[in-house]
């Protein structure tokens, strides 16, 4: 069982920035594909970005050019730097660790609200 603990959400004005963090409790963190997803009210959960050790990150179109995903395998942590935030980025953001269909885990979620 892998526990994921997210932090860094909050309220920010449009154009502002936030950095989300997700710490994982697994000794094989580097083996996991780590992702950030989000779910807005009334909408389905969607992928924002994901990263595999040693490979280039993948981003949703809505995140390209504004968000940056990174990981620190020494700290078992994945980050999501979000710049130029827009009201439509408002959602609960979830961290995901994936190592196969029977080996995937979710964090509890952190609220990001972009509003003036």
């Amino acid at each position: 069982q892998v526990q994921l603990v997210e932090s860094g959400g909050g309220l920010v004005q449009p154009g502002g920035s936030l950095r989300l963090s997700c710490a994982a409790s697994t000794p094989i963190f580097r083996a996991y594909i780590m992702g950030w997803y989000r779910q807005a009210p009334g909408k389905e959960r969607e992928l924002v970005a994901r990263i595999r050790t040693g490979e280039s990150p993948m981003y949703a179109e809505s995140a390209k050019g504004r968000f940056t995903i990174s990981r620190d395998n020494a700290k078992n942590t994945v980050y999501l730097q979000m710049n130029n935030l827009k009201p439509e980025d408002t959602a609960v953001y979830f961290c995901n660790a994936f190592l196969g269909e029977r080996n995937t885990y979710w964090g509890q979620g952190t609220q990001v609200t972009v509003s003036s």
Side-chain angles (χ1 to χ4, degrees):
Q1 189 77 8
V2 177
Q3 291 188 334
L4 302 173
V5 180
E6 299 126 334
S7 60
L11 173 65
V12 64
Q13 293 186 343
S17 298
L18 282 175
R19 188 194 195 203
L20 306 182
S21 300
C22 171
S25 64
T26 172
I28 58 169
F29 175 77
R30 67 179 297 107
Y32 281 85
I33 300 171
M34 299 301 299
W36 286 99
Y37 290 71
R38 68 185 182 187
Q39 187 167 18
K43 294 188 177 182
E44 294 187 355
R45 190 172 298 189
E46 63 178 4
L47 175 67
V48 176
R50 64 174 178 234
I51 184 168
R52 185 197 298 254
T53 298
E55 297 185 4
S56 297
M58 172 270 177
Y59 295 95
E61 283 297 322
S62 59
K64 288 181 180 178
R66 299 187 301 127
F67 295 1
T68 301
I69 188 171
S70 61
R71 64 189 297 160
D72 186 337
N73 289 340
K75 296 182 178 180
N76 285 9
T77 301
V78 63
Y79 305 96
L80 185 68
Q81 177 67 43
M82 304 186 293
N83 298 327
N84 190 22
L85 283 160
K86 304 175 181 180
E88 51 263 43
D89 295 317
T90 295
V92 179
Y93 284 69
F94 297 90
C95 177
N96 173 263
F98 180 85
L99 194 58
E101 292 300 324
R102 296 184 179 182
N103 200 353
T104 184
Y105 303 93
W106 293 92
Q108 80 284 358
T110 185
Q111 177 70 46
V112 171
T113 302
V114 184
S115 175
S116 56

